[in-house]
Amino acid sequence: MVPDEDRILVGRSLKGDRRAFELLVKKYQQPLFNYFCRLVQEREMSLDFTQEVFLRAYAALHTYKEKYQFSTWLFRIASNLLIDHWRKKKLPLVSIDAEPEDDEHRQPQLPDLEPSVSDNYEKREMMERIEQALVQLPETLRELFVLRHMNDFSYEEIAAIKHLPVGTVKNRVFQAREWLRSRLEER
Amino acid sequence: MSCPDLTQIYAYLDGELTAEDRLRLEEHLETCSRCRQLVADRRLFLEASSSLPEPDLPSDFSGRVMAGLPPLKSPVRLWLWLAGGAYLLFSLVVAGLALGTRTALFPICLQIFKNLYNLAADLSSLIVRLIQQAYGFIKALRILAGVVARLLADVFPSGSLGLAALVLGGVMSLALLWLLLRPTNYTTGDEK
């Protein structure tokens, strides 16, 4: 389904066609559930959050502007819900809204000698290790990593969802990747 | 080419390098086993990261969402509110008058009705006068245009006046064409 079809479905939903909104729910329920499961780590809560995103989206559907992609609008609602949840839990969030001065310009150096991860693991085993390490990744970095790798958003789309510069998103995704990869070396 | 840094390697694997940079990096990889190892390593890591299993969603989930949907909010339309308000006011006035004529409030109701009638009559005459003023203004403009045209016809011979009008029209058309076709640098935000 292409984004233009999303817009058509939104238009029909606004005219009271609930079947059109149901098609949007069916399209985005799994990506949203993946997102919450990786970030909240509790299945029931992830289900509740996924449902809550659709309820909020439906109630605010008249505020959706067609110049944006529906998927980024929907995930912006999801991200705001998640931030509220983290604030209530009083997690020590690393702010990604406040951008460090040298954030975009830090150039990671090539490591001198690093253990080869690809020699040590088969892909399946590596997936299991990534899943285990992902839980320990700081939430704000994990969110960007999940949006990139589990939800397959482009850097530009993530930047639109998080209201961040594209360069910052790239840098944070890079940090998350290298943080996770470094955990795979600890065998 | 010297060894690329990790951001370049990730940009290569993300397909974000330009064709020229990609070729240069691939040439380098042919000669540098260390960078080849780094790329193979990160490629496997990225493939594994993007292939993590999806958690199972209950089969009736979409039904549950649809059952809990709130009433749809439609955009607030100002004209709808105005029309509704006017209708309500009119209904109240009519109901009040109908009720008032049968009670001791008759004189007051009658007075209100008279005032409303006078207000409507004043508004009507105001609108009529505005239309008359507008008509007079248009008439004055027409006379003025006629006078200017006669003056121009007296000053210029009829042949050159036609030529001047033609040149002026041509210049205006070209200017309009340029305005419509000139290159713009407008961005479209995060629109895709």
Side-chain angles (χ1 to χ4, degrees):
Chain A
M1 199 185 287
V2 295
D4 274 349
E5 284 173 328
D6 285 357
R7 292 187 183 110
I8 291 168
L9 290 174
V10 170
R12 284 173 56 182
S13 303
L14 279 169
K15 286 174 187 163
D17 183 352
R18 288 168 72 93
R19 175 83 191 128
F21 191 75
E22 193 173 0
L23 289 175
L24 288 169
V25 172
K26 283 183 174 164
K27 180 182 175 187
Y28 289 108
Q29 58 184 6
Q30 187 69 55
L32 279 171
F33 186 54
N34 294 349
Y35 170 81
F36 283 121
C37 275
R38 299 289 176 200
L39 294 164
V40 180
Q41 306 291 331
E42 289 176 41
R43 184 180 162 78
E44 283 307 310
M45 197 181 279
S46 300
L47 283 171
D48 289 346
F49 280 174
T50 306
Q51 183 169 6
E52 179 65 21
V53 169
F54 286 119
L55 297 186
R56 287 189 187 188
Y58 191 71
L61 209 55
H62 63 282
T63 65
Y64 166 70
K65 291 182 176 62
E66 284 197 352
K67 65 178 177 174
Y68 299 110
Q69 284 185 60
F70 181 73
S71 57
T72 55
W73 184 74
L74 198 65
F75 270 82
R76 202 177 295 161
I77 296 174
S79 180
N80 289 338
L81 191 66
L82 192 71
I83 289 167
D84 287 346
H85 166 70
W86 284 338
R87 280 196 186 126
K88 278 178 199 159
K89 278 182 74 179
K90 293 193 168 61
L91 285 174
L93 293 179
V94 180
S95 172
I96 59 170
D97 297 329
E99 184 188 343
E101 274 180 22
D102 60 344
D103 199 31
E104 285 194 53
H105 306 292
R106 202 186 314 151
Q107 289 298 315
Q109 297 302 308
L110 201 63
D112 291 333
L113 271 175
E114 60 175 17
S116 167
V117 170
S118 54
D119 287 347
N120 292 343
Y121 294 101
E122 292 298 321
K123 189 176 166 187
R124 184 165 295 280
E125 196 186 355
M126 192 184 273
M127 282 159 59
E128 285 170 17
R129 289 296 303 269
I130 291 171
E131 277 204 281
Q132 290 163 8
L134 196 57
V135 181
Q136 296 160 5
L137 184 67
E139 277 79 5
T140 45
L141 290 183
R142 199 193 317 159
E143 186 187 11
L144 299 187
F145 183 84
V146 166
L147 286 169
R148 176 73 182 152
H149 288 289
M150 270 120 237
N151 295 119
D152 292 325
F153 279 115
S154 68
Y155 290 119
E156 288 75 16
E157 287 167 333
I158 298 172
I161 292 167
K162 296 299 299 174
H163 289 301
L164 285 171
V166 177
T168 305
V169 172
K170 283 184 181 175
N171 196 279
R172 298 296 162 102
V173 171
F174 171 84
Q175 286 176 36
R177 284 168 170 176
E178 282 302 293
W179 189 95
L180 281 171
R181 200 205 149 277
S182 68
R183 292 300 179 278
L184 302 185
E185 290 172 7
E186 299 164 3
R187 186 162 185 146
Chain B
M1 177 189 181
S2 57
C3 289
D5 65 29
L6 283 175
T7 50
Q8 286 173 300
I9 288 176
Y10 276 122
Y12 170 65
L13 294 171
D14 282 333
E16 297 226 321
L17 287 185
T18 61
E20 192 184 341
D21 287 345
R22 195 182 67 236
L23 282 174
R24 205 178 301 149
L25 195 141
E26 282 171 353
E27 277 170 17
H28 174 76
L29 289 179
E30 284 171 14
T31 58
C32 180
S33 61
R34 185 161 154 271
C35 286
R36 249 194 334 267
Q37 178 62 45
L38 277 171
V39 169
D41 208 67
R42 263 66 183 183
R43 178 176 281 134
L44 183 67
F45 170 72
L46 291 185
E47 281 174 10
S49 297
S50 298
S51 314
L52 297 185
E54 291 186 336
D56 289 334
L57 197 65
S59 57
D60 64 337
F61 186 74
S62 63
R64 201 193 302 176
V65 171
M66 293 309 291
L69 288 185
L72 191 64
K73 281 182 191 168
S74 56
V76 179
R77 291 193 175 92
L78 185 64
W79 64 266
L80 208 63
W81 281 102
L82 286 173
Y87 180 74
L88 185 70
L89 188 69
F90 178 74
S91 306
L92 284 174
V93 169
V94 170
L97 282 172
L99 202 68
T101 51
R102 293 178 191 172
T103 63
L105 292 171
F106 179 70
I108 299 169
C109 288
L110 192 64
Q111 191 56 46
I112 291 172
F113 186 75
K114 277 181 184 170
N115 286 340
L116 279 173
Y117 177 80
N118 289 337
L119 185 68
D122 289 346
L123 272 174
S124 304
S125 75
L126 181 69
I127 290 166
V128 168
R129 281 185 190 178
L130 279 174
I131 291 169
Q132 283 173 343
Q133 295 287 337
Y135 180 70
F137 182 68
I138 291 166
K139 213 171 171 180
L141 274 182
R142 211 177 66 185
I143 293 165
L144 188 69
V147 170
V148 171
R150 256 187 232 113
L151 277 173
L152 284 172
D154 288 345
V155 174
F156 299 102
S158 58
S160 63
L161 189 64
L163 188 69
L166 202 67
V167 169
L168 189 66
V171 169
M172 282 172 73
S173 303
L174 283 173
L176 187 66
L177 206 64
W178 177 79
L179 275 172
L180 290 172
L181 299 179
R182 69 183 168 156
T184 53
N185 294 319
Y186 301 132
T187 56
T188 52
D190 61 353
E191 195 177 1
K192 294 216 153 262

